[in-house]
Amino acid sequence: MDKNQIEEMVFAVVSQQFNVPIHDVTPKILLIDDLGADSAALVEFSARLEDTFKTEFPDLRYLADKDLGELIDFISNHGKLNAATGTGG
């Protein structure tokens, strides 16, 4: 899966969970500052991402102060690590 596909999937999850039109979702959005995510929303968001990508991620709540671009980079790199080690999905 390439980075553009990951971005599209993350944007779709953000749009659905936070009720934001997909065309308004950009890599510069911050989950807490821009979308008002609280800790419960971050946990739910992490779970949705794990369901979407069929893998487990380390606790993504630490990325709450990062923008979506950084989150997409993290997921992209996590996927590469899984492929290299034969773990995850």
Side-chain angles (χ1 to χ4, degrees), residues 17-80:
Q17 181 173 343
F18 296 101
N19 199 28
V20 176
I22 192 80
H23 61 271
D24 289 341
V25 181
T26 70
K28 294 297 179 188
I29 285 180
L30 300 167
L31 293 173
I32 293 176
D33 292 346
D34 296 329
L35 300 177
D38 59 14
S39 60
L42 293 174
V43 170
E44 183 179 343
F45 183 65
S46 296
R48 285 183 180 211
L49 289 177
E50 288 178 347
D51 287 346
T52 299
F53 292 102
K54 308 289 189 248
T55 191
E56 290 185 23
F57 297 107
D59 187 357
L60 293 181
R61 287 178 289 171
Y62 80 95
L63 289 174
D65 63 337
K66 307 293 188 219
D67 63 34
L68 290 181
E70 292 169 293
L71 175 60
I72 291 161
D73 288 342
F74 172 81
I75 292 170
S76 178
N77 291 332
H78 182 77
K80 290 175 188 171

